[in-house]
Amino acid sequence: MPKTFRGMWEPAPLKHNPAPGRLHPGARPDIGKAVALVVEDSEIIRMGAVDLVRSAGYEAFEASNADEAIRILESRVDIDLVFTDVQMPGTMDGIKLSHYIRDRWPPVKLIVASGKAILEESSLPEGSRFFPKPYSDHAIADAMAGMLSGD
């Protein structure tokens, strides 16, 4: 392994992280640089989801709860997709957040994931997608590509 500053060893790259410059197999580079907001209270899971979004060829922002996500959505006009967990602390969970987003920012695409709640997609806003955790990185990347291309 190559040495970094002050002789410390660099950690091994994550298995799901392709080499720099390579896109995730489900990526659609013809779409352009869409922007996704990842909302997840678990820092480790959020880091993995942000990495997944970036490896799929999109720009990623992150929030640890719904309140932070709303502040980001209010301050940016370029968020195309929100990828949120269901269970998280704060004033609302991911289901309420997804309905709030649909009412306030109708064009924003929504992907909702949960390790505890198994949801009927009918309880989510129209056009949303639900994935149980643990989810497949390929399934999420494919869903993002399809939703962002209008398929």
Side-chain angles (χ1 to χ4, degrees):
M1 285 186 217
K3 287 188 178 182
T4 60
F5 183 69
R6 294 190 184 168
M8 297 183 72
W9 293 104
E10 237 177 57
L14 299 174
K15 288 183 182 179
H16 68 280
N17 186 14
R22 286 190 58 214
L23 295 177
H24 186 280
R28 300 269 308 266
D30 55 316
I31 294 174
K33 200 72 153 173
V35 180
L37 173 60
V38 174
V39 187
E40 169 64 60
D41 61 314
S42 167
E43 188 173 353
I44 297 286
I45 295 172
R46 187 173 64 247
M47 288 170 50
V50 166
D51 187 48
L52 167 62
V53 168
R54 289 181 179 150
S55 68
Y58 308 113
E59 187 174 350
F61 291 91
E62 57 188 275
S64 60
N65 58 52
D67 300 318
E68 189 178 343
I70 290 168
R71 283 193 296 275
I72 291 169
L73 286 159
E74 289 174 338
S75 69
R76 302 191 64 92
V77 296
D78 61 344
I79 304 291
D80 299 300
L81 181 139
V82 173
F83 178 20
T84 185
D85 184 26
V86 170
Q87 307 232 328
M88 60 187 145
T91 59
M92 62 179 85
D93 65 13
I95 297 169
K96 289 179 184 173
L97 174 63
S98 65
H99 284 281
Y100 185 84
I101 291 169
R102 177 60 71 240
D103 291 342
R104 189 149 175 211
W105 297 281
V108 173
K109 310 297 185 209
L110 299 163
I111 295 178
V112 179
S114 178
K116 296 180 183 171
I118 302 299
L119 302 175
E120 297 282 331
E121 287 193 30
S122 61
S123 68
L124 296 173
E126 187 174 337
S128 302
R129 296 284 310 272
F130 174 76
F131 290 89
K133 289 180 182 176
Y135 47 75
S136 157
D137 287 0
H138 293 288
I140 298 293
D142 288 346
M144 287 189 299
M147 294 172 91
L148 292 169
S149 69
D151 292 346

